[in-house]
Amino acid sequence: MIDLGPLAQHMPEFLPGTVWLVGAGPGDPGLLTAQAIHALARADVLVYDALVGDEILKIVNPAAELEFAGKRGGKPSAKQRDITERLIELARQGKRVLRLKGGDPFVFGRGGEEALALVAAGVPFRVVPGITSGLGGLAMAGIPATTRDTNQAITLMTGHCATQGPEAVDWAAFARTGAPLILYMAMNNLPKIVPQLLAAGMSAATPVAFVTNASTPRQRVVVSTLATAIDDVAAAGIEPPTITVIGDIVPLRAALGFGDGRP
């Protein structure tokens, strides 16, 4: 068990029959919070997502049961309702249930849906925030999310719902804000997103960056423009999990000395 030293006295008790919704951060175990490490060491059951790496799983209580509940777009995966029902079932068995998610559980992680279901079922829970990849991934790639000279706001948004229908995104409205766009799960829909941003008046020269496998040894960064982004991503073989950054904060990467032999 990892010794948290003086921090241990500040850790809440992980009670049997409760569920902790914990963020694992973007991937590097060193970016876990102290509360996340505390929970990993005490969980009876770990229900974890596809974006949780093997190095993080090594920290979990050796006696804990591990249950994979990963979801990947376009691939066979556990249904959200089944995952939620499993959390409730395990908690009612009197176990300490750790629901571990990549990034932050409340930022495109369906943690809010799971929390609502736990409330409805009368199951006590705690939320342990994590570093979301849309911010942590940018930092690891040398792209500040904000500076006084570039932007006063950013937009964190999903690129998963890019088609027509009730979940369609009004890309024109976001383009008109002028704020940098930080997109999660956008890779599969990139050929649909880019034309909509261009049609909304966003310049073809707008800088774009792709940060894949952020904070891990496999991290790669591709810098492009809106005009060439689709072709550049295909040529580089960039695949999910990838954060897409669109806007004037992207050139700050080069200004900070990233890119020449750095990830």
Side-chain angles (χ1 to χ4, degrees), residues 101-198:
K101 298 170 173 288
D104 182 277
F106 277 6
V107 180
F108 302 119
R110 304 198 185 192
E113 298 171 40
E114 293 173 359
L116 288 168
L118 292 170
V119 169
V123 174
F125 71 94
R126 174 181 290 273
V127 179
V128 179
I131 299 174
T132 182
S133 56
L135 298 178
L138 262 65
M140 298 300 294
I143 303 174
T146 65
T147 73
R148 289 184 295 173
D149 294 330
T150 56
N151 59 307
Q152 295 179 323
I154 56 173
T155 300
L156 302 179
M157 59 190 302
T158 174
H160 183 65
C161 303
T163 57
Q164 297 182 351
E167 294 185 326
V169 174
D170 185 351
W171 292 100
F174 286 101
R176 287 192 293 269
T177 68
L181 306 180
I182 300 173
L183 311 182
Y184 297 67
M185 302 169 287
M187 298 306 295
N188 291 336
N189 283 322
L190 200 63
K192 300 175 183 177
I193 295 170
V194 169
Q196 293 184 64
L197 293 175
L198 291 171

Side-chain angles (χ1 to χ4, degrees), residues 4-25:
L4 293 177
L7 287 176
Q9 63 181 312
H10 301 289
M11 294 298 110
E13 186 178 359
F14 196 166
L15 295 172
T18 63
V19 176
W20 282 27
L21 305 172
V22 178

Side-chain angles (χ1 to χ4, degrees), residues 54-66:
D54 292 340
E55 292 303 311
I56 291 177
L57 294 179
K58 292 178 182 178
I59 302 173
V60 71
N61 172 15
E65 305 170 36
L66 271 60

